[in-house]
Amino acid sequence: MIIPPAWGAYFAWKDALGLRFVTCYLFLLVIGVGSWAFHMTLLYEMQLFDELPMLWGSCVIIYCLVDILFPELIRQSKMVVASLTIYALLVTVVYVAIKKPIFHEVSFVSIAER
């Protein structure tokens, strides 16, 4: 998950698909690097580098999907962006504070299942 997202980001940028798609591909790239780093070292810091980009990347992908399916909602209100940002920040702060992987798993599933 390192080379394909880099390739996708390059072509999204080259074809002028929009910054949101480049950002999605770059988050996939960060997830791939984080996953590689965590599974190579099994360090807690690398676990954060693996798991937190999954949460933030999912928020970016959800934003892109909402923008594609309901463009008027994005243009009329910044509530979607604010909600996703607050959710990701809150989960990040709590997860770093309590250091329990089950919290990330439940938080990730709760946003992915909506």
Side-chain angles (χ1 to χ4, degrees):
M1 258 187 49
I2 295 172
I3 295 173
W7 190 264
Y10 168 74
F11 280 106
W13 181 265
K14 180 181 167 214
D15 295 339
L17 296 179
L19 185 59
R20 64 180 184 228
F21 294 110
V22 174
T23 305
C24 287
Y25 279 115
L26 291 177
F27 264 103
L28 286 174
L29 178 85
V30 171
I31 292 166
V33 171
S35 182
W36 172 77
F38 172 58
H39 290 97
M40 289 292 290
T41 64
L42 296 178
L43 295 173
Y44 173 72
E45 293 80 10
M46 295 301 114
Q47 182 177 0
L48 292 176
F49 187 40
D50 181 25
E51 294 175 347
L52 292 178
M54 288 181 201
L55 176 72
W56 284 89
S58 295
C59 288
V60 171
I61 291 170
I62 289 169
Y63 169 79
C64 288
L65 288 173
V66 170
D67 190 32
I68 290 168
L69 297 175
F70 309 104
E72 67 283 348
L73 181 66
I74 297 293
R75 285 165 188 62
Q76 291 175 357
S77 171
K78 298 297 178 189
M79 191 59 125
V80 173
V81 174
S83 299
L84 290 169
T85 303
I86 290 168
Y87 181 80
L89 280 171
L90 183 65
V91 169
T92 299
V93 169
V94 172
Y95 184 44
V96 169
I98 66 171
K99 300 179 181 179
K100 301 286 184 193
I102 190 71
F103 178 76
H104 172 266
E105 294 164 11
V106 170
S107 300
F108 187 72
V109 167
S110 71
I111 197 168
E113 288 294 319
R114 293 181 190 223

